């Protein structure tokens, strides 16, 4: 069982692959899509949860999603069909960094997937290439709530330089020519709900499928993840979601 399969199982009860509640997701989308007829692009869309949520309440909106994972895109197609979105959601199996489109987008999303584009600033540059003149970007990125501990770094397989603190993260964004017009810092409760769901969904699948060849891998992965979170990065790693407009002259 590879990492993509494990991730799909882990997110089956928390489709948004980030520590954000349903209420937060709705509030952010309402801010990002004030008209209701926008064109959206998700770079690293995974199972398409953001796009399905956005289109379901906005019958005139259209969206494209880009991801490398066939299994994630298969789930996205299932979710799109279940929501009766028809041809309003188009999915592309390719590297998000190589994606091109003939038309520009009113909203470009990259929430929890900046790594697929080389990091926060490269992701913003990729988003800029696809953005309409008055469009906005929704980006979600990790940051250090406190100084990273050795246990947190080990659990995340990260270096201290991989993230900044919140203020420095926002400074980097603004220095790159973007102005935040809304933002949300994930709460401790949102983080806990996300991690308990991630580890619990994977553990339940393993317990429900004892004869599956991937059962032991799923069980061990969930246990290791839970231990790394509880003993490592809980309260250390934060997550911020920013709604950005181009700064004039940038």
């Amino acid at each position: 069982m590879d990492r993509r399969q494990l991730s799909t199982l882990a997110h089956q009860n928390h489709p948004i692959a980030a520590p954000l509640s349903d209420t937060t997701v709705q509030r952010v989308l309402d801010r990002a899509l004030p008209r209701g007829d926008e064109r959206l692009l998700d770079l690293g869309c995974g199972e398409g949860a953001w796009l399905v949520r956005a289109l379901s309440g906005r019958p005139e909106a259209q969206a494209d999603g880009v991801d490398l994972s066939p299994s994630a895109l298969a789930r996205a197609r299932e979710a799109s069909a279940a929501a009766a979105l028809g041809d309003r959601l188009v999915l592309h199996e390719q590297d998000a960094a190589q994606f091109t489109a003939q038309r520009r987008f009113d909203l470009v999303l990259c929430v929890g997937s900046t790594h697929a584009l080389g990091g926060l600033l490269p992701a913003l540059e990729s988003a800029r290439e696809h953005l309409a003149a008055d469009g906005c970007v929704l980006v979600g990125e990790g940051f250090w709530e406190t100084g990273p501990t050795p246990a947190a770094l080990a659990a995340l397989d990260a270096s201290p330089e991989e993230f900044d603190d919140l203020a420095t993260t926002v400074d980097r964004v603004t220095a790159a020519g973007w102005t935040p017009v809304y933002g949300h810092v994930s709460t401790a409760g949102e983080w806990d709900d996300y991690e308990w769901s991630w580890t619990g969904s994977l553990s339940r699948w393993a317990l429900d499928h004892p004869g599956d060849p991937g059962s032991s891998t799923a069980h061990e992965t969930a246990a290791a993840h839970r231990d790394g979170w509880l003993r490592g990065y809980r309260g250390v790693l934060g997550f911020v979601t920013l709604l950005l407009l181009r700064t004039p002259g940038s």
Side-chain angles (χ1 to χ4, degrees):
M1 182 176 292
D2 62 25
R3 291 181 61 183
R4 290 173 180 171
Q5 291 173 300
L6 290 167
S7 179
T8 294
L9 293 171
H11 285 105
Q12 59 186 329
N13 293 306
H14 197 296
I16 296 294
L20 298 167
S21 69
D22 287 344
T23 300
T24 298
V25 170
Q26 190 60 53
R27 184 171 67 249
V28 169
L29 287 173
D30 287 343
R31 294 269 188 153
L33 303 167
R35 300 194 317 264
D37 63 350
E38 292 88 350
R39 295 186 71 246
L40 295 74
L41 170 66
D42 193 341
L43 297 171
C45 68
E47 298 179 12
W50 279 98
L51 298 179
V52 171
R53 283 287 297 272
L55 296 182
S56 294
R58 298 168 179 85
E60 296 182 28
Q62 300 180 40
D64 287 69
V66 187
D67 204 275
L68 277 172
S69 170
S71 59
L73 291 176
R75 292 287 295 272
R77 291 186 183 94
E78 292 172 4
S80 177
L85 298 181
D87 60 358
R88 293 193 297 125
L89 175 56
V90 180
L91 299 167
H92 309 266
E93 185 182 332
Q94 67 179 97
D95 186 342
Q98 304 301 319
F99 176 73
T100 60
Q102 293 183 343
R103 295 178 59 191
R104 300 267 176 157
F105 295 86
D106 301 299
L107 175 65
V108 180
L109 302 94
C110 189
V111 180
S113 54
T114 59
H115 59 277
L117 292 157
L120 176 59
L121 297 188
L124 290 176
E125 282 307 301
S126 292
R128 189 191 297 270
E129 296 175 5
H130 299 290
L131 202 61
D134 59 349
C136 54
V137 173
L138 187 65
V139 64
E141 179 74 329
F143 69 92
W144 296 127
E145 290 267 16
T146 64
T149 62
L153 295 173
L156 295 166
D157 191 23
S159 66
E161 297 77 26
E162 190 154 340
F163 301 107
D164 296 299
D165 62 24
L166 179 58
T168 304
T169 299
V170 175
D171 285 346
R172 293 177 66 209
V173 169
T174 58
W178 300 93
T179 298
V181 294
Y182 189 62
H184 175 79
V185 174
S186 295
T187 66
E190 285 177 308
W191 263 110
D192 285 353
D193 180 67
Y194 175 69
E195 297 289 5
W196 284 123
S197 182
W198 199 104
T199 57
S201 296
L202 197 53
S203 296
R204 179 174 288 277
W205 183 89
L207 293 171
D208 287 345
H209 298 81
D212 191 285
S215 178
S216 60
T217 298
H219 181 79
E220 292 164 5
T221 299
H225 187 112
R226 184 176 60 246
D227 189 66
W229 162 54
L230 291 173
R231 289 188 166 86
Y233 61 89
R234 185 173 186 262
V236 178
L237 181 65
F239 193 83
V240 61
T241 306
L242 297 169
L243 184 62
L244 307 170
L245 288 173
R246 289 188 187 91
T247 302
S250 64

